[in-house]
């Protein structure tokens, strides 16, 4: 079955540091890939997505590239801010008529001033 | 602004009570989902629905049931609440473009803000 593996957390960075959050997946067919963000006390929000190999999703300074050869979708940001402190989830969509998302366990990012 | 609205942000219930968690979406989405979120376990799918009056079990359906009488509303029911059901509950909805498989889920899921349920 489908699965998503995220690096262990939590991650603590200083403001303006470079961020990489690793995500690898196992899936049949050609899934779409997503990153979601959850700010404290809120639900999940779609951060970015990619629907086919070599696609790059980007939003709010975050980027991730769909790498089929390494089955990865790592999230990166060149300079993090305190406001980026949140929980980040990687997810993939199943194939089939009604796609479901499979989520990774999430990783907590804390950015200190 | 499209929304998924969960009726309560915080809820405290007693063991053995029947609990209803309500979720309403205004996007005319066919698909709706209930997850619970627990530290270290991520999101776990409880139930989902692809159409009115239709429901399917997710990964952890035990102790829960659902109701979807109208397209916009998906209710999660805890038949007899127990302390191990203390959790954050998240509702989500999605739109699927027919005939495109995984790529048909173009915008992923839209989530509600969650209901933090405490069973005492």
């Amino acid at each position: 079955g489908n699965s998503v593996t995220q690096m262990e957390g939590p991650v603590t960075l200083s403001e303006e540091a470079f961020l990489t959050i690793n995500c690898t997946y196992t899936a049949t067919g050609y899934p779409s890939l997503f990153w979601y963000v959850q700010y404290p006390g809120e639900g999940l929000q779609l951060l970015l997505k990619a629907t086919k190999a070599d696609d790059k999703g980007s939003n709010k300074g975050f980027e991730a590239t769909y790498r089929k050869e390494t089955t990865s979708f790592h999230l990166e940001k060149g300079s993090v801010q305190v406001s980026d402190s949140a929980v980040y989830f990687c997810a993939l969509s199943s194939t089939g008529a009604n796609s479901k998302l499979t989520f990774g366990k999430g990783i907590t990012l804390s950015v200190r001033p | 602004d499209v929304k998924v609205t969960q009726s309560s942000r915080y809820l405290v219930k007693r063991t053995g009570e029947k609990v209803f968690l309500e979720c309403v979406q205004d996007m005319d989405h066919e698909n709706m989902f209930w997850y619970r979120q627990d530290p270290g376990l991520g999101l776990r799918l409880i139930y989902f629905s692809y159409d009115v009056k239709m429901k399917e079990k997710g990964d952890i359906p035990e102790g829960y049931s659902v109701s979807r009488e109208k397209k916009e509303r998906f209710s999660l029911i805890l038949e007899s609440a127990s302390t191990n059901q203390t959790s954050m509950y998240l509702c989500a909805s999605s739109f699927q473009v027919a005939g495109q498989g995984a790529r048909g889920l173009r915008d992923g899921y839209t989530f509600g803000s969650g209901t933090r349920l405490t069973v005492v």
Side-chain angles (χ1 to χ4, degrees), chain A residues 92-103:
Chain A
L92 67 83
S93 63
S94 60
T95 55
N98 285 297
S99 295
K100 293 209 308 289
L101 289 183
T102 299
F103 289 90

Side-chain angles (χ1 to χ4, degrees), chain A residues 12-20 77-81 84 111:
Chain A
T12 302
L13 295 173
S14 297
E15 204 165 26
E16 299 184 2
F18 184 85
L19 169 71
T20 299
K77 187 174 186 183
S79 176
V80 293
Q81 305 301 311
D84 294 327
V111 181

